[in-house]
Amino acid sequence: MSNEATLKISLIMNPASGTSEQGALLLETLAPMSGVTILTTDAAGEGERLARQAVADGAELVVAAGGDGTINEVVKGLIEAERRVPLGIIPLGTGNDLARTLALPTDPLEAWKLILVGERRKLDVIEIRTPRELHYALNVSAGGFSGQLNEAMSSEVKSAWGPLAYLRGALGVLPDLTSYRTTIQYDDQAPEQVDALNIIIANGRTAAAGVQVAPLANPEDGLLDVVIVHYGSIMQLAGAAARLLVNGNYLNSELVELRRAKKVQVISDPEIWFNADGELITNEPIVFEVLPQALEVVVGAEYQAVIEDVTTGS
């Protein structure tokens, strides 16, 4: 591997992500390279500040090395920076959901090689506004029963049930799930009332380490995929969970609705907690709006913006 990068690159790394071996090997490989500046985060939100500073210092490419949370911080910094700079990603987290949509290598050194030569695509970004804050997401913002399901996923359940662990966890929390009386407004249409268990606002396709919560999402189409899981009987919910967690396809469930819009406003009773790329942000009224093709991102060779609709069947 060459010891010289042809671009001025700033790599922002979360040293707590991945294994110590992965981090050490990555640093050992990149440290001798001229043109590469390595910056490490040491606190929540540090990735955002470092990304803005990297752009101000003249970086031509910013690389986020970490999990989805680190990538989210870097994306916010790049979106709010004084000029737009492309993003490269080295996935070091446990979920790496954005990397799945972008078909990025899981091996850090292979991901680095791709960054130097790979194709760049202009991707949409989700802007998330609350009464108090402004956030962004490049992958998914989810609200509802996702948190309850995560709490049910003990290590014992994962060990005993293997691939069916998420289904087992879902069945365990179904009787206690909260129904959110939700008002949703798509673009400038009239507001709609729904009894929702889960609401996914998606640019990417997976969450929770590979669960295909929005399997048809196109990160380049200028639209948000809005997937709503409606409240239903325990049997109906179990069927939807089985389709999602076992078959990877729940869009044909009678309880699941897919809509698309450029702007989505959500108000719920009780208040529904939303995350941004896995990080909890608010349970207040919230507005999602797409920023079309706002960020140039390096993608893998197998990346596909458009996925064939395979929602037929049981």
Side-chain angles (χ1 to χ4, degrees):
M1 187 179 295
S2 171
N3 283 338
E4 183 174 354
T6 57
L7 297 173
K8 185 175 181 181
I9 299 174
S10 288
L11 183 139
I12 299 171
M13 179 176 177
N14 180 355
S17 296
T19 66
S20 58
E21 291 82 3
Q22 285 179 318
L25 181 59
L26 190 61
L27 291 175
E28 179 184 338
T29 302
L30 302 188
M33 289 189 175
S34 61
V36 178
T37 300
I38 299 174
L39 308 167
T40 58
T41 62
D42 55 15
E46 188 76 359
E48 175 188 343
R49 183 188 68 80
L50 291 175
R52 281 202 303 267
Q53 187 60 52
V55 174
D57 290 343
E60 299 172 281
L61 174 68
V62 172
V63 177
D68 289 320
T70 301
I71 297 167
N72 180 272
E73 291 183 4
V74 172
V75 166
K76 184 175 185 181
L78 292 180
I79 290 294
E80 296 182 346
E82 59 191 30
R83 59 187 173 88
R84 291 292 166 87
V85 172
L87 171 68
I89 295 169
I90 298 177
L92 293 177
T94 55
N96 296 324
D97 283 296
L98 179 62
R100 297 169 193 267
T101 294
L102 302 184
L104 301 180
T106 56
D107 178 85
L109 294 186
E110 291 301 317
W112 170 252
K113 293 177 185 178
L114 173 70
I115 286 167
L116 298 178
V117 299
E119 180 185 7
R120 299 178 186 175
R121 300 288 284 263
K122 291 183 177 180
L123 305 187
D124 303 335
V125 174
I126 308 172
E127 181 185 83
I128 306 170
R129 299 193 301 274
T130 77
R132 305 169 193 271
E133 297 176 312
L134 178 64
H135 299 270
Y136 300 92
L138 193 52
N139 187 44
V140 164
S141 180
F145 87 92
S146 302
Q148 290 171 269
L149 176 56
N150 287 342
E151 290 177 6
M153 293 302 298
S154 67
S155 58
E156 290 80 7
V157 168
K158 292 180 181 178
S159 176
W161 289 76
L164 296 179
Y166 275 96
L167 176 58
R168 173 64 182 85
L171 292 174
V173 300
L174 285 179
D176 301 318
L177 289 177
T178 302
S179 174
Y180 299 90
R181 185 63 177 166
T182 306
T183 300
I184 304 181
Q185 184 175 8
Y186 302 96
D187 295 324
D188 296 323
Q189 300 176 23
E192 302 178 19
Q193 302 284 332
V194 298
D195 284 319
L197 285 176
N198 218 40
I199 300 174
I200 303 290
I201 311 294
N203 191 44
R205 298 177 189 126
T206 77
V211 179
Q212 296 192 50
V213 294
L216 302 181
N218 179 345
E220 303 178 23
D221 64 357
L223 295 170
L224 305 173
D225 271 36
V226 184
V227 181
I228 302 171
V229 179
H230 294 267
Y231 193 77
S233 69
I234 290 180
M235 290 301 296
Q236 288 174 314
L237 292 170
R243 286 185 169 97
L244 171 63
L245 302 170
V246 178
N247 300 325
N249 165 24
Y250 68 157
L251 294 182
N252 61 344
S253 166
E254 60 188 319
L255 297 183
V256 179
E257 176 183 6
L258 170 62
R259 303 282 289 273
R260 291 190 172 99
K262 297 179 180 179
K263 181 179 179 180
V264 181
Q265 302 181 62
V266 179
I267 302 175
S268 291
D269 181 22
E271 294 86 359
I272 186 170
W273 277 97
F274 275 93
N275 64 43
D277 292 338
E279 304 295 322
L280 283 178
I281 53 173
T282 189
N283 65 346
E284 298 180 292
I286 193 166
V287 179
F288 304 90
E289 190 162 3
V290 68
L291 304 179
Q293 300 188 351
L295 190 61
E296 196 172 23
V297 182
V298 179
V299 301
E302 302 300 318
Y303 165 74
Q304 293 179 286
V306 179
I307 296 295
E308 182 182 356
D309 187 345
V310 291
T311 57
T312 60
S314 58

